[in-house]
């Protein structure tokens, strides 16, 4: 699929032989997978838009096994594709050709948790939702949360520098990750698994691996700072008459909710249609052109409720919001979050999805959606906008019945040029992967690209 659709050439890597499989079997007995059904699932991405043809998947349990495998592959000139939960959105989690898939699925042990500092150290293959449950039982939360939590691995999150739904409150993984253990392409183990908050001894090498998407090495363990679990959580789901009101509601809510504001997400009417139609979710508010989801997280329930009510009264009185509902109990909280979190799932049931994940100035963030609707007309089935408005992050998605080359040509480079014109980012949080790697220059100057290439060439000379 990938090779047919994209003009890519296989680099001169070796092809895995029977002798290689036997060597892997000696390193990780019983965990060398060649079963065609398992491989079929691991060769295709979550969106089902790119597919490789790997014939072997390896499931190490320890960093030493990863090091042994990579050393062997380096000597034999075999290409390797690290894979976590395979929920990535840019086609980086699956092979392009016949690369060996190195899965972190069995590297799923918590190594330590410090109950005073909230520092969690774990293997890279731990599933995000399982880590959330683990730390919540101890009075803490993970600093990140995303719709893919049930499958994505913490190593995959770090490798993509995933943003998600708590970014507004807890910031980027560049701040919350305290340390990493990484195995480099030649098998060298880089143990920077620090638990220190402050450490100014030389270059902070771990930062280079956060968001490097497996291009510089395999992350085998993560040390991450978990904040205390908020005592009171409220979610308000509101209808707004226009995008200007979505923005004004954000300003009002920053002013009135202050330190308890923990998420500000938006979705347009088309997104609501998608989750209702494809997933049979029900909207809790009257039909509106836009919807916002506001979450507050604080330490005193009455205090937070009072603040939220003041905000809602003002927003309704001034016409910024036309209808709304609030939840404090777990069931309703989850139901409101599902309307926003499950948009990507609803989109994938609508047809082929062209995904754009852009950082843009918030004032003009929705203009591109309106512009594209006019530009594409009936060529597209749907053009929708949603995302992490509080972080200036638009998810612009276009669907069509099937993949269409002419629709892709109408979208690219137009979307990238439009974004570059606003000095935005062509990948806010999903990374570059296979699909966006050639668009990097729209967001980074030539000197930065050269430095990135030099760095990659010096750390992984065979893959450059
Ligand atoms: P994979 O998909 O398996 O891999 C992703 C990339 O990282 C690949 O390039 C892979 O080679 C590399 N990689 C994986 N593990 C390692 C490792 N241990 N060492 C080195 N490289 C590795 N992203 C957001 O930022 N915010 C969101 O809100 C968000 N929501 C999502 C919702 C849904 C429903 C889905 C399906 C995806 C969403 N994503 C979101 C995309 C996001 O990138 C991933 O969900 C997640 O971070 C990837 O983790 P993973 O374990 O699935 O990695
Ligand atoms: C989200 O915010 O829902 C995710 O990033 C996934 C997507 O963009 O569809
Ligand atoms: Zn997102």
């Amino acid at each position: 699929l990938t090779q047919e659709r994209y003009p890519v050439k296989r680099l001169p890597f070796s092809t895995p032989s029977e002798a290689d499989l036997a060597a892997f079997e000696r390193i990780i007995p019983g965990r060398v997978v060649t079963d065609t059904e398992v491989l079929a699932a691991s060769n295709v991405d979550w969106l089902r838009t790119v597919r490789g043809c790997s014939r072997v998947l390896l499931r190490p349990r320890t960093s030493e096994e990863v090091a042994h495998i990579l050393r062997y592959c380096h000597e034999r000139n075999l290409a390797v594709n690290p894979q976590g939960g395979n929920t990535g959105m840019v086609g980086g989690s699956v092979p392009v050709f016949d690369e060996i898939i190195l899965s972190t699925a069995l590297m799923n042990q918590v190594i330590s948790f410090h109950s005073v500092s909230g520092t969690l150290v774990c293997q890279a293959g731990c599933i995000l939702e399982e880590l959330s449950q683990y730390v919540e039982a101890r009075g803490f939360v993970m600093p990140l949360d995303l719709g893919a939590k049930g499958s994505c691995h913490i190593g995959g999150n770090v490798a993509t520098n995933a943003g998600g739904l708590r970014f507004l409150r807890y910031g980027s993984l560049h701040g919350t990750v305290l340390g990493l253990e990484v195995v480099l392409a030649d098998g060298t183990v880089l143990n920077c698994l620090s638990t220190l908050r402050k450490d100014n001894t030389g270059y902070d090498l771990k930062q280079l691996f956060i968001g490097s998407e497996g291009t510089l090495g395999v992350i085998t363990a993560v040390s991450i700072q978990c904040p205390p679990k908020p005592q009171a959580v409220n979610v308000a789901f509101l209808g707004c008459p226009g995008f200007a009101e979505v923005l004004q509601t954000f300003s009002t809510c920053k002013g009135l909710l202050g330190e308890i504001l923990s998420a500000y997400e938006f979705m347009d009417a088309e997104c609501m249609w998608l989750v209702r139609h494809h997933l049979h979710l029900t909207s809790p508010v009257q039909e509106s052109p836009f919807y916002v989801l506001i979450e507050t997280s604080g330490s005193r329930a009455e205090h937070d409720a009072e603040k939220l009510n003041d905000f809602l009264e003002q927003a309704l009185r001034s016409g910024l919001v036309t209808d709304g509902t609030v939840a404090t109990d777990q069931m309703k909280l989850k139901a409101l979050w599902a309307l926003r979190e499950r948009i990507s799932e609803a989109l994938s049931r609508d047809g082929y999805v062209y995904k754009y994940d852009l950082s843009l100035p918030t004032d003009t963030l929705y203009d591109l959606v309106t512009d594209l609707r006019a530009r594409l007309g009936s060529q597209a089935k749907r053009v929708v906008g949603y995302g992490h408005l509080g972080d200036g992050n638009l998810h612009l998605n276009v669907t069509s019945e099937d993949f269409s080359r002419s629709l892709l040509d109408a979208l690219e480079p137009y979307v990238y040029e439009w974004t570059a014109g606003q000095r935005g980012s062509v990948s806010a949080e999903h990374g570059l992967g296979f699909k966006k790697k050639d668009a990097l220059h729209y967001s980074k100057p030539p000197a930065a690209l050269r430095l990135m290439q030099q760095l990659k060439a010096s750390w992984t000379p065979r893959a450059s």
Side-chain angles (χ1 to χ4, degrees):
L1 186 72
T2 309
Q3 298 162 53
E4 287 157 22
R5 211 165 268 172
Y6 300 92
V8 276
K9 230 175 122 234
R10 189 184 184 283
L11 291 173
F13 286 107
S14 311
T15 304
S17 64
E18 286 304 319
D20 294 325
L21 297 190
F24 293 140
E25 190 57 42
R26 284 193 292 278
I27 304 171
I28 47 167
R31 287 171 281 133
V32 178
V33 182
T34 50
D35 177 89
T36 47
E37 254 176 56
V38 179
L39 280 165
S42 307
N43 266 305
V44 70
D45 70 327
W46 188 89
L47 289 164
R48 308 192 76 77
T49 52
V50 282
R51 189 187 301 138
C53 52
S54 175
R55 293 199 291 175
V56 56
L57 178 144
L58 307 177
R59 287 186 176 143
R61 281 207 187 99
T62 64
S63 312
E64 292 70 34
E65 288 177 347
V66 173
H68 204 151
I69 291 167
L70 291 189
R71 203 175 310 124
Y72 179 86
C73 291
H74 184 71
E75 279 158 16
R76 276 275 302 124
N77 192 30
L78 290 163
V80 177
N81 187 130
Q83 188 174 81
N86 195 11
T87 65
M89 292 268 157
V90 284
S93 52
V94 293
V96 181
F97 301 98
D98 56 347
E99 300 91 295
I100 290 161
I101 304 174
L102 183 75
S103 164
T104 50
L106 299 183
M107 301 182 69
N108 57 3
Q109 300 298 307
V110 168
I111 299 168
S112 67
F113 182 73
H114 194 271
S115 60
V116 177
S117 65
T119 308
L120 171 75
V121 183
C122 63
Q123 283 190 296
C126 291
I127 291 175
L128 179 60
E129 190 163 44
E130 290 175 8
L131 290 177
S132 283
Q133 286 158 0
Y134 180 93
V135 299
E136 283 190 31
R138 288 156 179 82
F140 289 81
V141 288
M142 291 300 286
L144 79 161
D145 184 28
L146 37 136
K149 57 181 148 266
S151 323
C152 63
H153 297 183
I154 190 72
N157 298 146
V158 174
T160 54
N161 188 23
L165 310 165
R166 292 185 182 155
F167 190 99
L168 185 72
R169 165 61 67 89
Y170 302 119
S172 153
L173 289 171
H174 281 294
T176 52
V177 170
L178 301 180
L180 291 179
E181 179 190 64
V182 181
V183 181
L184 304 182
D186 64 0
T188 305
V189 180
L190 187 67
N191 188 339
C192 293
L193 202 54
S194 163
T195 53
L196 306 173
R197 289 296 299 272
K198 300 179 85 173
D199 178 13
N200 280 353
T201 50
Y203 301 136
D204 190 0
L205 290 176
K206 71 167 184 291
Q207 298 296 352
L208 286 170
F209 297 94
I210 303 175
S212 67
E213 301 178 71
T215 57
L216 296 177
V218 177
I219 297 166
T220 47
V222 176
S223 159
I224 190 164
Q225 181 66 48
C226 299
K229 186 177 172 184
Q231 298 301 305
V233 177
N234 294 296
V235 168
F237 195 89
L238 314 170
C240 287
F243 192 69
E245 286 80 4
V246 170
L247 293 176
Q248 279 181 50
T249 305
F250 182 44
S251 300
T252 311
C253 118
K254 275 201 288 191
L256 294 179
L257 297 176
E259 79 291 349
I260 63 166
L261 178 66
S262 56
Y264 192 92
E265 298 283 322
F266 94 103
M267 58 198 265
D268 63 15
E270 293 270 314
C271 293
M272 182 59 90
W273 185 90
L274 284 164
V275 293
R276 286 169 67 177
H277 186 80
H278 292 301
L279 307 176
H280 311 292
L281 303 184
T282 32
S283 169
V285 297
Q286 280 166 18
E287 237 164 81
S288 313
F290 291 94
Y291 302 89
V292 298
L293 186 153
I294 297 168
E295 186 192 72
T296 65
S297 305
S299 54
R300 288 249 316 270
E302 321 83 72
H303 168 264
D304 295 4
E306 195 183 317
K307 276 187 142 181
L308 188 60
N309 287 336
D310 286 350
F311 155 72
L312 288 172
E313 260 175 40
Q314 177 161 332
L316 279 161
R317 205 178 330 113
S318 57
L320 292 181
V321 162
T322 44
D323 190 20
T325 182
V326 177
T328 41
D329 72 282
Q330 271 301 318
M331 282 267 283
K332 195 171 171 199
L333 274 176
K334 278 196 164 170
L336 294 182
W337 264 117
L339 292 161
R340 163 63 188 89
E341 279 185 56
R342 295 183 67 192
I343 298 170
S344 42
E345 189 185 334
L347 275 160
S348 62
R349 297 194 190 189
D350 203 51
Y352 186 91
V353 191
Y354 307 80
K355 273 199 168 281
Y356 299 94
D357 161 40
L358 313 167
S359 270
L360 288 167
T362 40
D363 287 357
T364 52
L365 185 125
Y366 198 72
D367 290 359
L368 181 57
V369 183
T370 321
D371 175 323
L372 270 182
R373 275 194 194 123
R375 177 179 159 88
L376 300 175
S378 60
Q379 250 192 300
K381 192 172 172 188
R382 239 170 291 284
V383 180
V384 314
Y386 59 100
H388 316 286
L389 190 117
D391 311 317
N393 183 183
L394 169 72
H395 291 314
L396 160 70
N397 285 231
V398 177
T399 62
S400 61
E401 243 14 290
D402 296 300
F403 172 78
S404 151
R405 169 58 57 188
S406 61
L407 181 50
L408 184 61
D409 291 343
L411 284 163
E412 296 176 19
Y414 185 79
V415 169
Y416 299 138
E417 283 167 358
W418 204 97
T419 305
Q422 305 274 322
R423 302 214 56 170
S425 169
V426 295
S427 181
E429 58 170 10
H430 292 165
L432 299 170
F434 174 75
K435 289 192 188 165
K436 315 279 173 190
K437 65 181 185 349
D438 298 330
L440 179 51
H441 66 97
Y442 289 100
S443 297
K444 290 280 152 67
L449 291 187
R450 269 198 308 279
L451 267 180
M452 288 191 214
Q453 277 156 0
Q454 282 165 11
L455 181 75
K456 166 122 180 81
S458 65
W459 286 15
T460 60
R462 287 222 159 120
S464 301

